[in-house]
């Protein structure tokens, strides 16, 4: 089964999803550090590519 084209396609899809999730997590970590440095939200958006809603959610989480 591991040598079938179907398995290869599924494996590639899982790997791509995992990599995307890892990149998103890394962006969030960078945004948290930028918030801790009191950088402006617009700067964080431009630097990380995250959306304002995501950053505002991080701000709320950091407040707890």
């Amino acid at each position: 089964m591991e040598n079938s084209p179907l398995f290869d396609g599924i494996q590639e899809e899982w790997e791509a999803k995992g990599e995307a999730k890892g990149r998103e997590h890394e962006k969030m970590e960078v945004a948290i550090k930028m918030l801790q440095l009191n950088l402006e939200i617009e700067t964080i958006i431009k630097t990380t590519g995250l959306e304002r809603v995501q950053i505002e959610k991080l701000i709320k989480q950091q407040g707890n």
Side-chain angles (χ1 to χ4, degrees), residues 9-64:
I10 293 170
Q11 183 178 4
E12 288 174 8
E13 182 179 336
W14 287 345
E15 288 173 356
K17 286 181 180 181
E19 289 173 6
K21 189 173 181 178
R23 283 190 299 274
E24 188 72 14
H25 179 75
E26 187 174 319
K27 288 179 182 182
M28 299 294 261
E29 292 294 321
V30 169
I32 289 169
K33 290 177 183 177
M34 294 177 81
L35 287 169
Q36 291 169 345
L37 293 171
N38 296 317
L39 296 175
E40 295 181 14
I41 291 177
E42 291 302 319
T43 301
I44 299 171
I45 290 169
K46 289 177 184 176
T47 303
T48 63
L50 295 173
E51 296 180 14
R52 177 176 292 276
V53 174
Q54 293 171 294
I55 296 168
E56 290 172 350
K57 184 177 177 182
L58 286 174
I59 292 169
K60 288 180 184 177
Q61 289 174 349
Q62 296 300 306
N64 292 334

